[in-house]
């Protein structure tokens, strides 16, 4: 039973570099500093963390975070990624969220 509880705990806490996301408490922190996120911002960050190191297109974000299966020709993705980027990367030693021009976004830690 003790081994099983460790496995469950690992699956509820996601980490990339110094960023930690608790899926149960629905909060995020970087270097121990809590990051205030709105529900949709949390979903966006969670999706990026789960796809760490992979380029995520705007269409993928629309489908998985907003549950839209068409391009509404809006800049909602850019607005939300900008908000999350300001909250996560502001005043930190290195940025985690990177823009891949013409394709989408990638979340990765250096090294």
């Amino acid at each position: 039973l003790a081994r099983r509880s460790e496995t469950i705990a690992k699956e509820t806490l996601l980490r990339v570099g110094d960023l930690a996301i608790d899926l149960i408490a629905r909060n995020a922190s970087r270097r121990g500093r809590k990051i205030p996120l709105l529900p949709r911002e949390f979903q966006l960050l969670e999706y990026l963390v789960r796809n760490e190191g992979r380029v995520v297109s705007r269409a993928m974000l629309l489908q998985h975070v907003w549950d839209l299966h068409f391009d509404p020709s809006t800049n909602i993705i850019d607005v939300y990624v900008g908000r999350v980027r300001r909250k996560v990367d502001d005043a930190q030693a290195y940025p985690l969220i990177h823009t891949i021009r013409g394709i989408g976004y990638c979340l990765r830690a250096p090294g």
Side-chain angles (χ1 to χ4, degrees):
L1 285 174
R3 284 189 301 239
R4 272 192 240 150
S5 65
E6 286 178 25
T7 305
I8 292 169
K10 287 180 186 175
E11 292 172 1
T12 62
L13 188 67
L14 303 176
R15 291 187 177 277
V16 175
D18 56 2
L19 174 70
I21 297 180
D22 186 341
L23 300 176
I24 302 296
R26 308 273 306 161
N27 62 32
S29 63
R30 188 154 180 203
R31 289 182 155 193
R33 194 184 111 243
K34 197 168 182 180
I35 302 169
L37 294 170
L38 298 172
R40 188 73 69 177
E41 294 170 346
F42 184 85
Q43 287 178 304
L44 174 66
L45 184 60
E46 178 188 350
Y47 188 73
L48 288 172
V49 168
R50 287 185 184 274
N51 290 283
E52 174 193 3
R54 290 184 229 138
V55 177
V56 176
S57 70
R58 286 174 174 78
M60 290 167 70
L61 288 171
L62 276 171
Q63 183 177 358
H64 294 284
V65 177
W66 278 267
D67 200 27
L68 295 175
H69 300 281
F70 62 94
D71 185 6
S73 299
T74 180
N75 67 340
I76 193 164
I77 301 290
D78 303 323
V79 170
Y80 270 86
V81 169
R83 286 181 187 170
V84 172
R85 180 181 278 147
R86 278 190 295 279
K87 290 179 180 184
V88 171
D89 290 340
D90 192 41
Q92 297 294 330
Y94 56 87
L96 290 175
I97 302 172
H98 304 276
T99 302
I100 311 300
R101 265 183 82 115
I103 301 171
Y105 302 94
C106 180
L107 186 134
R108 66 177 178 269

